[in-house]
Amino acid sequence: MEAQATQPSPLAVQPRPPGRDDQAQGEPFIRIEPPKGWRLVNWRELVAYRDLLTQFVLRDVSARYKQTVLGYAWAVIRPVFSMVVFTVIFGNLAAVPSDGAPYALFSYAALLPWTYFSGALGGATNSLTAQKGIFTKVYFPRLIIPLAPVITGLVDFAIASVVLAGLMVYYGVAPTLNVVFLPLLILIMVATAFGAGLWLSSLSVQYRDVNQAMTFAMQLLMYAAPVVWPVSLIVEKFPVWGETLRLVYGLYPMAGVIEGFRASLLGTVPMPWDLIAIGAGVAAFLVITGSLLFRRMERTFADVA
């Protein structure tokens, strides 16, 4: 009869915690204490772990297209097919105005930033619950987890941008001089996804309803964004309060980003600096408050995840 192997006791392999005797003997040790109170992001620590962040991003890019037949083509399939459906339904059947631009180009110029935003926000929201097996075992800045999908989404954004360039060549539309402000719009877009992702990922650890509601919420946010319709429609439909409603609508950061993309690339409307300024302020607010909330709650992530 074969003897059963005995499992070593966990207590036997655990290192002895440092105590006052070790300090008295001058032996070096590291004490990890949970942060207390409201704390801002420790950028120095985040920079020190930049190699780990890079590995997380490379892992996400590899995992996204691993064992797929079409590979990186999936980065353009979603916005292209959405553009085709929107063009047929909203452009041809519903005759939604497009500020004088071909509706296919009008919708794709909006789908490009929107597809990034929805993917980055969804990935950041689900990141902590999906990777609880990692951060409950070893210490590293937890902020890296929701930050990785926000950076990974820029790869798909860059690939999908090639299709927009092809559409502009096909329709004979040249970018305006405002194209130099595209990096600013991209920065606001990334900050919005990151700030909202910090809020939702922190709450999703304790309230899994957040993860369940994301699919439904993203559909509502897409139709609330000016993806299939122009912001000029607000002033046209509400001539009395149109300008006021338009500025209130600017509190949705993606409104200024999407209209800015169209203004800089297609020249359909003047650069909406009022919407962009309001959206930038909201994005900064989301990043600051999201970072404070994340740092406040991260001490409980390992216990409730």
Side-chain angles (χ1 to χ4, degrees), residues 100-220:
Y103 195 88
L105 191 55
F106 172 84
S107 60
Y108 194 87
L111 281 166
L112 184 63
W114 171 256
T115 304
Y116 165 81
F117 175 73
S118 62
L121 180 58
T125 301
N126 298 323
S127 59
L128 286 176
T129 53
Q131 302 182 55
K132 62 181 180 182
I134 299 177
F135 69 82
T136 55
K137 291 182 173 61
V138 63
Y139 176 77
F140 59 90
R142 306 311 194 230
L143 203 66
I144 288 178
I145 298 178
L147 180 58
V150 173
I151 298 176
T152 303
L154 291 174
V155 177
D156 291 347
F157 178 82
I159 297 174
S161 298
V162 177
V163 177
L164 178 60
L167 286 173
M168 293 178 67
V169 172
Y170 176 78
Y171 285 106
V173 177
T176 69
L177 293 177
N178 290 323
V179 74
V180 298
F181 298 111
L182 268 184
L184 173 64
L185 299 174
I186 294 173
L187 179 62
I188 298 173
M189 175 184 72
V190 173
T192 304
F194 181 53
L198 288 177
W199 268 92
L200 296 178
S201 61
S202 302
L203 296 175
S204 67
V205 174
Q206 191 160 6
Y207 307 103
R208 301 301 168 88
D209 309 71
V210 175
N211 302 76
Q212 298 295 331
M214 277 305 294
T215 303
F216 174 67
M218 293 309 297
Q219 291 180 349
L220 292 180

Side-chain angles (χ1 to χ4, degrees), residues 217-262:
M218 293 309 297
Q219 291 180 349
L220 292 180
L221 288 174
M222 191 203 72
Y223 287 106
V227 175
V228 298
W229 52 277
V231 174
S232 59
L233 209 58
I234 297 178
V235 181
E236 181 181 335
K237 294 295 182 182
F238 304 96
V240 178
W241 299 97
E243 284 297 335
T244 303
L245 292 175
R246 179 177 171 278
L247 294 178
V248 173
Y249 182 58
L251 292 173
Y252 185 9
M254 291 306 295
V257 170
I258 291 174
E259 282 294 289
F261 263 72
R262 285 171 177 155

Side-chain angles (χ1 to χ4, degrees), residues 41-50 141:
V41 176
N42 188 344
W43 294 107
R44 180 176 297 179
E45 184 185 49
L46 207 58
V47 171
Y49 281 85
R50 60 185 180 280

